[in-house]
Amino acid sequence: MELLAQATGVTGNVEALKSAIAVMGYGLAAIGPGIGIGIVVGNAVQAMARQPEAAGMVRTTMFLGIAFTEALALIGFVLFFLA
Amino acid sequence: MTADQVVLAIECDPAQPAACAPANTNELFETPTLFSIGGFGVNRAMLLMVLAALVVIALLLAAYRRPRLVPTRFGVMVEGVVGYVRDEVAVGVIGPEGVRYFPYLLSLFLFILVGNLFGITPLVNFPVTSRMAIPAFLALVTWVIFVILGFARNGFKYLRDIVWPSSVPLALRPLVGLIEFFSTFLLRPLTLAVRLFANMVAGHMLLSVLMVGGLIFITRFDGTSVLGVLWFALGIPIFAFEVFVAILQAYIFTLLAAVYIQTSLHPEH
């Protein structure tokens, strides 16, 4: 962290830099899951539209898919608190 | 945060602490110890947690103590929720033997639901599930249940199927096994707890910033603050959205608990 502070020319409060980077890290961690959840829900909506009688099953599977995709964003959230 | 950053273009009045130095976000989740019983401090979050359990018990007792042939409107409502958890979550996900795990799943669902809804209940205004200890404990109980169930039903084969999956090409097995091991035994409980916690923290912060912040601005500037009115107005749709989030997160937690139990019973699927 000190090296990074020197490299970017930041003097003074290194802790503030650390939390700023943590916030950016969380933002980056949210990109992938965001796209992933979009794909999951989009395809689930398509499946429900094509076969409305399977909507219940698709919905359950969709929530599962969202839950697994979301895991990455949640790990980012935890790291944001740890930093 | 310095005072001049807080209120745009208005002189900061140190006599008005709410407008001059607003609360830290951590303070939204800190509950001071109210009294102590035998050395254990009791705070508001603990009392609310007990209250949530009592509300669930009272709800089910009121609905089921005297079953009627033609149920009341309230009875139909509770029956609908209970029936949904049994048919769609317990039996729908786990299969016919899911009835055995239905009581656990129902208590999980109702407790989390009531805990979440406390966040938008007037006069309570604090989601107990936004304190990490509660989602973490519920996730830990679920973890213990599905791990013990996996070993009890499948023996050592349960662990072997996870770290050495036979459906994967041999060259990839160590890698997939490692990922599966971490995801099953570490990430599952972690994400289960953090998902609920993060959603409730975010919702509570959003509502506090919009509604309480808006109210402070309105009262501080004698109703001349357009920003305060806008904030408060924006808080109302967010409030409705939080109702949806509270129900959805309780449902997802229960659904995932059921799925984890199901994968322990039948690891091949």
Side-chain angles (χ1 to χ4, degrees):
Chain A
M1 201 43 77
E2 279 75 22
L3 274 179
L4 193 68
Q6 280 170 15
T8 49
V10 173
T11 49
N13 197 349
V14 180
E15 275 301 307
L17 180 71
K18 207 173 157 184
S19 50
I21 292 175
V23 172
M24 280 195 278
Y26 174 63
L28 290 175
I31 295 174
I35 297 170
I37 292 174
I39 293 172
V40 169
V41 177
N43 283 325
V45 168
Q46 207 168 35
M48 283 188 222
R50 286 182 184 213
Q51 232 165 342
E53 64 270 25
M57 206 181 69
V58 172
R59 195 177 301 117
T60 309
T61 321
M62 178 187 80
F63 279 126
L64 280 184
I66 291 175
F68 292 136
T69 319
E70 211 182 24
L72 293 169
L74 292 172
I75 295 167
F77 184 80
V78 173
L79 291 181
F80 160 69
F81 271 111
L82 289 180
Chain B
M1 184 174 265
T2 52
D4 53 299
Q5 283 176 287
V6 177
V7 183
L8 298 166
I10 305 263
E11 289 277 311
C12 178
D13 179 12
Q16 295 265 359
C20 196
N24 188 310
T25 44
N26 288 337
E27 286 170 26
L28 293 174
F29 300 98
E30 276 165 8
T31 47
T33 307
L34 297 174
F35 55 90
S36 52
I37 302 169
F40 286 101
V42 175
N43 59 28
R44 190 155 170 265
M46 291 162 74
L47 291 178
L48 284 178
M49 193 171 73
V50 174
L51 184 66
L54 289 179
V55 166
V56 171
I57 294 170
L59 203 70
L60 290 178
L61 270 185
Y64 282 100
R65 201 161 49 99
R66 268 181 287 124
R68 299 171 200 199
L69 199 59
V70 182
T72 55
R73 197 170 294 171
F74 171 73
V76 171
M77 221 172 67
V78 176
E79 224 165 83
V81 174
V82 171
Y84 185 83
V85 174
R86 194 191 61 197
D87 299 336
E88 299 295 320
V89 179
V91 176
V93 173
I94 304 177
E97 57 187 327
V99 181
R100 280 190 62 195
Y101 309 101
F102 159 66
Y104 174 65
L105 294 173
L106 182 71
S107 8
L108 207 57
F109 177 74
L110 288 178
F111 178 72
I112 296 172
L113 183 66
V114 171
N116 288 354
L117 287 176
F118 272 170
I120 47 167
T121 312
L123 303 178
V124 179
N125 284 331
F126 182 78
V128 271
T129 39
S130 70
R131 297 289 299 253
M132 187 56 182
I134 293 164
F137 180 73
L138 295 175
L140 190 70
V141 172
T142 310
W143 185 84
V144 166
I145 287 178
F146 80 75
V147 168
I148 288 181
L149 212 55
F151 280 111
R153 286 298 178 89
N154 305 295
F156 186 67
K157 192 171 159 289
Y158 173 64
L159 191 63
R160 201 198 60 202
D161 279 350
I162 288 169
V163 296
W164 201 248
S166 51
S167 57
V168 174
L170 198 63
L172 281 174
R173 262 182 224 179
L175 184 65
V176 173
L178 191 70
I179 295 173
E180 278 294 304
F181 180 80
F182 275 106
S183 112
T184 308
F185 293 114
L186 291 174
L187 291 183
R188 267 184 187 184
L190 182 80
T191 55
L192 197 61
V194 171
R195 179 176 301 109
L196 179 60
F197 163 72
N199 275 286
M200 286 304 116
V201 165
H204 189 52
M205 272 189 201
L206 207 57
L207 279 183
S208 306
V209 167
L210 289 173
M211 298 197 114
V212 180
L215 272 181
I216 286 175
F217 266 48
I218 291 170
T219 51
R220 169 73 174 83
F221 303 120
D222 306 322
T224 55
S225 168
V226 180
L227 200 62
V229 175
L230 274 179
W231 270 358
F232 193 80
L234 192 61
I236 294 166
I238 298 289
F239 190 88
F241 179 67
E242 283 307 310
V243 181
F244 169 72
V245 169
I247 298 170
L248 184 73
Q249 289 307 319
Y251 170 65
I252 286 187
F253 197 104
T254 319
L255 182 74
L256 284 174
V259 169
Y260 294 159
I261 289 173
Q262 194 270 340
T263 50
S264 286
L265 292 174
H266 310 286
E268 66 272 15
H269 297 309

